Amino acid sequence: MPPIKIQRPPEWGIEPVPQTHRIMGFIDYFALWSSLGVGLLVFLAGSLLVPGLGLKEAMLAILLGTLIGNALLALAGYIGSKEAVPTMVLIRPVLGIRGSYIPTILNILQLIGWGAFEVIIMAEAASQITQRLFGFSAFVPWVAFFSIWCTLMAIGGPLMVVRDWIEKFAIWLVYGITIYLTWYLFSHYDIRSLWQKPGTGELPFLIGLDLVIAMPVSWMPLVADYNRFARRAGSAFWGTYWGYFVANVWFYALGALFVLALGTGDLIPAILSLAGGMVALLLILVDETDNAFADIYSAAVSGQNIVPRVPQWVLVVATGLICFILGVTVPIAQYENFLLLIGSVFVPLFGVLAAQYFFVEKRKYATDELYRAGGKYWFAGGFNWKGIVAWALGIAVYQAVVRLVPWLGASIPSFIVAFLVHLALNFKEVRK
C-alpha cells in the first residue's frame, strides 16, 4: 500500500487567480457572505440600537444601513472579481504600489485585532457552556482551540472553506438556529407591544444608521480576497449583496429584539437562559469560526502585498499565533476603540477606489503594471499623491463629523468627499 501524502491546498498569493480556479458562483457567495454576516458580534451590534431607538426606528436603520453598506461592500467585491486580485492589490493604482503599504499595514493590524476579538468572544461563550455543563470555564483552552481551528481553516483557503464547510454544514446549522430563535421570540413575547413602544431618544437615528453601515463596510478591506475566485463578477456581486443582506438584517434585528424582550444587554447569558439556548449558542459558535477564519486568512494575504515571497501558510500561522497571544493576555476594552479608529480609515479609501476604478481607469486595470516598479502605477517614487490627498481629506471629514456633528453619521459624508476630491484631482483623465 503506497504511503498517504498530505498536500497543502494551492496558494495564489497576490497574483491574479488563474481562470481555471475562478469557479465560485452566486450560491457560493450567497452562502459565504450569509455565513460571515451571522455572528455574536452582529448580535451585539444590534443590541446597541435599542432602547435609544424604538423598534420601528431600529428596524428602519437596520434596513437602510444594510442597503447602503452592502452596496459599498458588493461594489468593492465586484472590482476584485473583475481583476481577480486581493483587495490590497486593488489599492495599488489608487495610492501607488508603495502607497498601498499604508492601508495594508493598518488592515493587518485591524484584522489581527478583530481575529483576537472573535476568538475571545467565542472562548467566553464556550466557557459559559462549559461552566454550566461541568462546573469550570476553561477559557484559555478554548482560546487555544478556536485559534488553532480557525488557523487550519485559513490554511485550507476560501475554496475549501466555502465548498466543504460552509455550504455542506455551517450555513444550514446557523439558518436553522436563527429560525428557532426568531420563532422563540415571537411565540414567547409580545412583539406587537414592543413595536409600538417609543425609544428613549438617547441615540440619534443617523448615528444608529452609521452603526449599521459600519458592519458590512468593515468587510470591505477583505472582500476581494474571496471574490477574486468568482466565475462571473455579476453573480459574485449579487451573491455577496443578498447573502450579507439577509444575514445582517436578521441578526441585527434579533439583537435588538432580544434586548427589548428580555430587558438585558448581556446577550450570551440571555441566550443560555432560553429553552434550547445552549444548543443555539453552540451552533452560533460553529458559524462564528468563519469570521475568525476570514480575519486570519486576509491578514496573511494582505501581508503578501508587502512581502510577496513569504509563503502564505507561514503568515497564516503567525497571525493565528498572535491572535492566541492577544486572546489570553489583552482585555477587549484596551484595544476595541483602537480597532474602530483604524477601521474608520477604510470608508474614504474605498471612495477613492471607486473613483479610480470606474472613472479614471475606465473599469480595467493594466494588470501587469500592478506588480512592476517604475511602471504605470509607480507614480512618484511608488506613491500616487492625488489618491493619498483624497484619502486624507476623506479621513479628516470622517473625524470631523464624529467630533463636531456626530448625529450626522460619518460614513456617507467621508465616502462622498473622498470620491469627489479624487475625481476633481484626476479631471483630465476622467474626461478622456
Side-chain angles (χ1 to χ4, degrees):
M1 181 178 178
I4 298 174
K5 295 182 179 180
I6 299 177
Q7 296 181 331
R8 281 190 295 109
E11 297 178 0
W12 289 275
I14 61 172
E15 299 290 331
V17 174
Q19 191 66 48
T20 54
H21 289 91
R22 299 182 200 175
I23 59 175
M24 292 174 64
F26 176 87
I27 297 298
D28 297 308
Y29 285 108
F30 186 92
L32 171 64
W33 289 103
S34 284
S35 183
L36 293 178
V38 167
L40 291 172
L41 288 179
V42 185
F43 213 64
L44 295 171
S47 71
L48 299 176
L49 299 176
V50 293
L53 296 177
L55 186 56
K56 286 182 182 178
E57 289 180 302
M59 284 305 303
L60 181 60
I62 290 168
L63 287 171
L64 289 178
T66 305
L67 285 169
I68 295 169
N70 263 25
L72 302 179
L73 173 67
L75 192 64
Y78 175 86
I79 300 173
S81 299
K82 293 288 286 186
E83 302 300 326
V85 296
T87 309
M88 290 300 112
V89 176
L90 293 178
I91 303 301
R92 290 185 171 194
V94 178
L95 304 181
I97 293 176
R98 285 177 172 169
S100 73
Y101 297 168
I102 302 169
T104 296
I105 292 169
L106 295 175
N107 193 39
I108 292 170
L109 288 174
Q110 74 151 354
L111 288 173
I112 289 174
W114 283 120
F117 193 97
E118 292 280 2
V119 166
I120 291 170
I121 290 290
M122 290 188 289
E124 287 182 345
S127 295
Q128 294 197 34
I129 294 175
T130 307
Q131 185 70 46
R132 289 207 170 201
L133 290 177
F134 306 109
F136 60 90
S137 66
F139 175 76
V140 173
W142 278 121
V143 171
F145 171 79
F146 287 117
S147 297
I148 293 170
W149 176 250
C150 295
T151 298
L152 292 174
M153 291 174 69
I155 291 174
L159 296 182
M160 185 205 75
V161 170
V162 173
R163 293 286 178 87
D164 295 331
W165 171 242
I166 294 176
E167 290 184 3
K168 292 181 179 178
F169 301 103
I171 195 64
W172 304 109
L173 294 174
V174 77
Y175 269 121
I177 204 61
T178 306
I179 291 170
Y180 169 76
L181 290 174
T182 305
W183 168 82
Y184 191 96
L185 279 172
F186 278 83
S187 62
H188 289 75
Y189 298 93
D190 186 1
I191 303 301
R192 182 176 296 179
S193 65
L194 294 177
W195 183 259
Q196 301 298 331
K197 188 176 180 181
T200 61
E202 297 170 356
L203 181 70
F205 177 80
L206 288 176
I207 292 183
L209 184 68
D210 217 29
L211 287 173
V212 180
I213 292 172
M215 193 59 71
V217 163
S218 71
W219 289 103
M220 285 171 61
L222 293 69
V223 61
D225 300 352
Y226 309 97
N227 287 35
R228 60 182 168 149
F229 296 98
R231 192 163 50 244
R232 289 186 299 273
S235 60
F237 176 92
W238 291 112
T240 301
Y241 190 93
W242 291 116
Y244 200 89
F245 180 88
V246 170
N248 201 61
V249 168
W250 206 342
F251 254 65
Y252 256 96
L254 281 177
L257 283 168
F258 262 98
V259 167
L260 294 176
L262 278 66
T264 176
D266 201 352
L267 293 182
I268 292 176
I271 294 173
L272 285 172
S273 69
L274 305 178
M278 192 176 298
V279 175
L281 187 58
L282 182 62
L283 293 180
I284 292 172
L285 280 177
V286 168
D287 186 75
E288 192 81 15
T289 57
D290 302 342
N291 294 24
F293 141 76
D295 293 327
I296 293 172
Y297 175 78
S298 283
V301 173
S302 294
Q304 287 187 299
N305 186 48
I306 301 175
V307 286
R309 294 184 180 179
V310 178
Q312 192 177 96
W313 73 268
V314 173
L315 296 175
V316 165
V317 172
T319 303
L321 179 61
I322 296 172
C323 288
F324 167 73
I325 294 171
L326 289 175
V328 297
T329 59
V330 181
I332 290 176
Q334 291 189 18
Y335 63 88
E336 182 178 5
N337 290 334
F338 173 66
L339 291 172
L340 292 172
L341 176 64
I342 290 178
S344 71
V345 306
F346 290 103
V347 176
L349 177 61
F350 283 93
V352 183
L353 172 62
Q356 179 76 26
Y357 186 77
F358 289 103
F359 294 94
V360 179
E361 301 288 337
K362 306 297 191 294
R363 300 177 64 176
K364 182 62 181 176
Y365 282 164
T367 304
D368 292 341
E369 298 295 305
L370 290 170
Y371 308 94
R372 190 164 72 88
K376 177 180 178 181
Y377 301 129
W378 192 247
F379 299 103
F383 295 89
N384 180 6
W385 293 105
K386 293 179 181 179
I388 291 172
V389 168
W391 181 33
L393 287 174
I395 294 172
V397 168
Y398 193 105
Q399 297 301 326
V401 170
V402 168
R403 287 168 171 73
L404 302 177
V405 281
W407 55 266
L408 182 61
S411 295
I412 296 174
S414 65
F415 184 94
I416 292 173
V417 167
F419 178 86
L420 293 178
V421 169
H422 194 63
L423 288 184
L425 292 175
N426 291 274
F427 184 70
K428 290 183 179 180
E429 290 82 356
V430 171
R431 290 195 62 185
K432 289 180 181 178

